[in-house]
Structure formats: structure tokens, C-alpha cells
Amino acid sequence: MNDTFDIRVAEAHIEVHKFRGGAIVAAALLALLLQASVPVYIPKFSVLDLPLLVTIYFGLSRRHPTTGLLLGMVIGLLQDSLSGPTVPLGLYGIAKTVIGYLASSIGARLDTEHPAARFALTIIFFGLHQGIIVLTRRLLLAQPEPWFTMHMCIAAVVNAVAAVLLFMLMDRLRKD
Amino acid sequence: VGCRRPELEIFTGANTIRHKPLVLLTGVIILQILLLAVQIRRDSQGRLIRVWTVGAVSPFQRASATGVGSVRGVWNHYFALQNTSRENERLRHENDTLKLQINQLESKAAEADRLAALLNFRQSHQTIPMLGARVIGSGADSNSQTVYLDRGERDGIHRNMAVITPDGVVGKIVESYRDTSQVLLLTDKDSGVGAMLAESRIQSPVGGDGEPLLAMKYVANDDTVAIGERVVTSGMDRIFPRDIPVGTVAQIKPGNPFKQIRIKPAANLERLEEVIVLLSLQPLDLKKDAGTAAATAAAAAQPVKTQKP
């Protein structure tokens, strides 16, 4: 079957997963739609960054750096488009491009199927994502942004917990 | 299982293929940085892609808002009636209390001036064209405080129009699309409104910093401000008419050189469902409007362009 592949890296077997037709596009658009709609009814929902979680998941699963960075770029630019006027196009685009690239690069070297690994990686990627956004705002937009806040810390943990549950749900989209 | 991918060559030592994703990553990031630079230099918001994306997503947001409204309506009108009798009793009690309060108000001569001013204020706003709109979505990031409305250019909404609720100021229109528009809420760190303290008439802009409370920045330490004092619009920003409630003073701390005053917004900005857009880009002068208000009310001939969503 060509649905999955084995890549022998050092001594580890890493599977590359394929998904049902249109699953990646549908999941990305649904994440953006929920991100732009649910906070109207549940304001606390905005602590989640669903587009980021989708970028991380498909990066880790597809394990193809080019696909990962391009998917991250598209999702990031669409998120920029749906954000407020204080978010210029490219801010989330750059951050999610880097995250997509790193997630798919790490996914090609490590087994990221275990919930503990997914939890830890999501916290790291969330922190990195925020770091890139703050760096971009400070360097390119000359906007004073704090490097670290307690809200950011809580948001990282909440997103990591959500990622573990969401990734298990999204595993069902795989062609196995 | 068992197929090898071309990407396996990354481990074969072929430098060009090894660095291909890295080169692409660098190129894509440079392109986006250029995109950022173009926007900053030209103050353009990349309008075309925003129009496309918002145009594609807003029908779903509109549908979800309608769906949620329908489900909520069915639930409230058919399934959640078991508390009706209890609520009826509570409302009767509340009605009695309100009647008592009205009697007390009517007996206080000192309140007459305030009621007269309020009446003038209402009459003055009859001349301002306004439009009701429903909130159908919010910004897709947690850094900016924005919401989307189900009304746009086709309904006469343009950038910089004021948005309020009956409780107070909400924000202003920052983008207007065909059937949708985007509102920058007062709590956003880039937002601001010309305001003044209702009692002392001390003027200072009020703005947001991403937190639920607003900040009033330029009130000198010598000025007297009390907790609970009302803050209203001053009209100096030429967007909002005078005397619309902005909020109430919630915290006061001494600062250098100005007091650090935090304002609790009058409008519930965290749970907005319906808002009013003031359909005028002309400076709205309350005094001028108030002067003509009596004649307007007496004649009762001026149509008010008010629509409900």
C-alpha cells in the first residue's frame, strides 16, 4: 500500500501519514472559522490558537518540511486577514511558516505519536510561535510587546492540553 | 508500507536537495517580511486579500450566528418555560419596585434638571441617522479587540463611523466591506475616544490597552476625581457626539505627571450582540442638535433613519 511509508532514520521507524481527500484544507478552514466565530459567544475561547494547533498537527504527521512550511504560511496569512487592523498581513504568516517547517522537520526525526510528546512539543511550539510574533512586532513594527506574561504561560498549557485531545480526534482523518 | 520517498535523499548527502526546504523557508519568510514592509510604508492593509478572506468567511459566520440564534430561540420559547411562573412573580415584584422608584424620582425636584438634560440628549440624537447591526464574528487573534458586523458598505457604513449601544460607546468602524464591517473595540490598545469626566468636565482621551478596563491618561494629579464618577464623550475626536457614556471610574492611582485612572466601560464589550452605527462622518455637535431638538420634536416631521437588524 502507498498510504503510509516507512523512513529509516538512524534506527527508528517513522511513519508518514496521508489523509483523506480535502481533510487538510477542511480542517484548516474549520479551525480559522471557529477561531473567528466562537469567541463572540465564549470570550475565553480566544485563549486557544486552533490554526496553530492544526499547523503543528499536520506538520508532525506529514513530516515533509516543504508541505509543512507552505501550509503554515497559508494558514498564517488567512489568520492575518481575519484579524484586526493592528495585525498586518505576514505577522502570523511568518510565525506559522517557521512552526510548520520545524514541526515537519522534527516529525521526520522523532516519534510524535505519544500524547506526552505531543503535549511537550505543543508547549514548545506555542512558546516559539509567541516569541516570533513578539520579535516581529518589536523589530519590524516597532511595537513594544512584553516577552513573557503569565497569560501567555497559561495559554501555552491550555493549548497543549487541547492539542492532545484535538490530535487524537484528528488522527481519525488519516488514511490507515 | 515499505516505499521510499524521494525525500530520503536528504540523508544521502545531496546538498541541493538537503537544503531545498531551508531555501524555500528563507524565501517565503523574506517575501512575508517584504509584505509587512509594504504595508507599513504605504499604510495599506492589503485590502484585496482581506476582502476575499472576509468575504469567504462572513457567510459562515452569518449562518452560525443565525443558527445559534434559532436554537437559542427554540430553547427559550419552547423548552425553557418551566421557570416562567417563577419569573413572572419576580417580574411583578420588580415592577412594583420600579413603580416605587418612579414615584420617588418624580417627587425629587432636584432630579428635574438631570431629567431635562437627558430628554434634550435623546431629542438631539433623533436627528442623527443610525443603523442597527448584529455582531457575527470576532477577530481571529487574541491580540486585537475587533468584531465583525452583519452590515457593510451597502447599508451606508464607512470607515471611522461611531459604534455604540444604548449603554455607551463601543468603538469605531475600521474596515467596511460589501455586506460586513469590522469594528475596533474601545478596549483595543490602538483605540481611543475623546472623553471627559461628567462632573468636573475635565477632558482627557480614554483608550484601551487590551485589558477589560480602559485607561484615562492625562488627568493631572491636582485634579479631583472620585471613584464611580461617570465618564462621557467630549466630542473632541469628531467621531462621537458629546455626552455619550464611556464608563465609570473604577481605579485611581497617583502617577507622574498624571493620575493613573482606570475606567470600567459602560457598554458590555465582552458580550456584544447588537450595536448601533451612527451613519455620519460629519462632526456631531450636541449643542447645535439640542438647539433644534425642541422644534424638531414639536414638528415631529423629521424622519429618523433607524433600522433594526
Side-chain angles (χ1 to χ4, degrees):
Chain A
M1 291 290 184
N2 289 332
D3 292 344
T4 58
F5 303 91
D6 269 356
I7 296 178
R8 184 174 291 274
V9 180
E11 294 185 2
H13 288 277
I14 305 291
E15 277 186 317
V16 173
H17 298 284
K18 282 200 167 183
F19 293 88
R20 297 173 201 278
I24 296 178
V25 175
L29 291 180
L30 186 63
L32 286 163
L33 183 63
L34 289 175
Q35 193 72 40
S37 301
V38 178
V40 173
Y41 311 105
I42 310 167
K44 299 276 183 203
F45 188 85
S46 63
V47 78
L48 284 179
D49 193 339
L50 290 181
L52 175 66
L53 299 187
V54 170
T55 304
I56 294 172
Y57 177 78
F58 286 118
L60 292 175
S61 300
R62 291 283 297 169
R63 292 163 177 151
H64 191 299
T66 306
T67 311
L69 76 90
L70 290 177
L71 180 67
M73 181 190 74
V74 171
I75 290 178
L77 286 175
L78 289 175
Q79 191 176 5
D80 287 327
S81 301
L82 288 171
S83 299
T86 52
V87 179
L89 291 174
L91 183 68
Y92 282 92
I94 291 172
K96 284 187 170 58
T97 302
V98 175
I99 296 299
Y101 174 78
L102 290 178
S104 50
S105 301
I106 288 175
R109 288 163 173 76
L110 298 173
D111 181 11
T112 53
E113 299 295 304
H114 195 278
R118 288 174 165 182
F119 181 86
L121 282 171
T122 304
I123 285 189
I124 293 168
F125 282 136
F126 186 89
L128 194 60
H129 180 262
Q130 289 303 118
I132 295 168
I133 286 174
V134 172
L135 189 72
T136 310
R137 280 191 183 277
R138 291 175 83 107
L139 289 183
L140 295 179
L141 306 178
Q143 295 174 351
E145 284 281 322
W147 286 104
F148 176 83
T149 61
M150 189 50 73
H151 177 268
M152 212 180 281
C153 197
I154 294 168
V157 176
V158 171
N159 276 274
V161 172
V164 172
L165 301 174
L166 184 69
F167 290 2
M168 279 161 51
L169 200 66
M170 292 176 74
D171 285 342
R172 294 171 183 270
L173 299 174
R174 289 174 176 174
K175 268 205 275 185
D176 287 329
Chain B
V1 177
C3 290
R4 281 187 174 274
R5 302 177 62 161
E7 286 76 18
L8 282 177
E9 290 184 41
I10 53 178
F11 303 107
T12 64
N15 279 340
T16 51
I17 295 177
R18 181 201 296 258
H19 296 303
K20 191 177 169 188
L22 205 56
V23 170
L24 186 61
L25 174 71
T26 311
V28 162
I29 288 179
I30 289 172
L31 274 178
Q32 290 182 81
I33 289 173
L34 288 175
L35 181 64
L36 278 173
V38 168
Q39 291 172 80
I40 297 163
R41 195 181 301 161
R42 294 185 185 170
D43 194 27
S44 152
Q45 294 295 319
R47 187 170 162 75
L48 197 55
I49 190 168
R50 282 190 195 275
V51 170
W52 288 344
T53 313
V54 171
V57 169
S58 61
F60 293 103
Q61 290 179 320
R62 196 188 301 265
S64 68
T66 306
V68 169
S70 304
V71 171
R72 195 180 283 171
V74 169
W75 177 262
N76 289 337
H77 289 102
Y78 295 99
F79 295 108
L81 293 176
Q82 66 265 31
N83 292 328
T84 305
S85 173
R86 208 177 304 152
E87 190 171 353
N88 195 21
E89 192 126 7
R90 186 182 64 76
L91 287 173
R92 273 187 191 162
H93 177 71
E94 193 176 321
N95 194 27
D96 290 342
T97 310
L98 288 172
K99 280 179 181 171
L100 187 64
Q101 284 179 352
I102 289 172
N103 288 336
Q104 286 173 340
L105 285 171
E106 285 177 347
S107 68
K108 288 182 181 175
E111 298 283 343
D113 289 342
R114 195 177 66 82
L115 289 173
L118 188 64
L119 185 63
N120 279 338
F121 179 76
R122 281 188 177 178
Q123 285 178 341
S124 69
H125 284 77
Q126 284 182 357
T127 60
I128 299 173
M130 53 184 76
L131 174 74
R134 193 166 51 172
V135 176
I136 57 168
S138 62
D141 70 308
S142 54
N143 289 325
S144 63
Q145 308 275 326
T146 56
V147 294
Y148 286 95
L149 306 182
D150 67 342
R151 304 279 187 168
E153 278 175 351
R154 282 210 307 191
D155 304 292
I157 293 181
H158 302 289
R159 289 181 70 166
N160 287 329
M161 283 182 169
V163 182
I164 61 172
T165 68
D167 295 327
V169 174
V170 170
K172 66 172 184 177
I173 303 289
V174 285
E175 283 293 346
S176 181
Y177 307 100
R178 191 163 165 266
D179 294 311
T180 316
S181 52
Q182 191 177 28
V183 181
L184 185 69
L185 298 180
L186 205 50
T187 44
D188 190 280
K189 55 192 170 189
D190 282 6
S191 193
V193 59
M196 62 184 172
L197 291 157
E199 306 297 325
S200 58
R201 314 305 279 182
I202 297 168
Q203 294 197 2
S204 164
V206 168
D209 51 11
E211 301 293 327
L213 294 182
L214 309 171
M216 195 173 202
K217 294 173 182 171
Y218 305 115
V219 176
N221 281 317
D222 297 339
D223 292 326
T224 306
V225 184
I227 297 280
E229 191 170 349
R230 289 190 317 119
V231 177
V232 296
T233 52
S234 65
M236 296 301 284
D237 53 23
R238 304 172 76 83
I239 292 177
F240 291 93
R242 280 169 68 107
D243 287 328
I244 294 180
V246 174
T248 51
V249 176
Q251 294 172 9
I252 307 168
K253 289 180 186 171
N256 187 18
F258 300 108
K259 287 180 190 289
Q260 295 178 3
I261 300 175
R262 308 287 284 176
I263 310 291
K264 184 184 178 194
N268 188 353
L269 301 181
E270 291 187 343
R271 289 203 179 273
L272 286 171
E273 290 189 14
E274 288 178 344
V275 296
I276 297 166
V277 183
L278 303 184
L279 297 175
S280 174
L281 288 171
Q282 301 300 318
L284 302 167
D285 187 350
L286 181 67
K287 283 183 178 173
K288 186 180 171 186
D289 290 335
T292 58
T296 307
Q302 290 286 336
V304 180
K305 188 182 177 185
T306 305
Q307 298 175 24
K308 289 187 177 177

